Amino acid sequence: MSYSAGDRVESCTGDPDLPDGSLGTVVVVYDDYGDGIDVDVDVDVDVGDGRPPRNVLACGLEPAPDVDRS
């Protein structure tokens, strides 16, 4: 799966620091697969902690389900 800036994604990393099912928005996709993808995770943005985007490998992401956020 390839991603572009602005795509909505869901984590599936198995990493306790970024629980599976965490939703976010792709900010940057690096050219080298090993450099990963920067993702603004909703929970970080919602609490306003100023945390920078998290870097995740593409294999730890999947397209986010369509969610009505209204």
Side-chain angles (χ1 to χ4, degrees):
M1 181 77 195
S2 62
Y3 297 101
S4 299
D7 287 349
R8 294 289 295 158
V9 292
E10 179 177 26
S11 66
C12 57
T13 63
D15 182 345
D17 188 46
L18 183 60
D20 288 352
S22 296
L23 297 172
T25 303
V26 173
V27 179
V28 176
V29 179
Y30 296 98
D31 292 333
D32 187 317
Y33 177 82
D35 291 337
I37 296 173
D38 286 352
V39 177
D40 269 335
V41 178
D42 292 357
V43 98
D44 296 341
V45 173
D46 291 346
V47 297
D49 67 359
R51 185 178 177 135
R54 297 185 193 215
N55 187 265
V56 183
L57 289 177
C59 62
L61 298 171
E62 54 190 33
D66 291 331
V67 176
D68 181 7
R69 299 193 64 156
S70 56

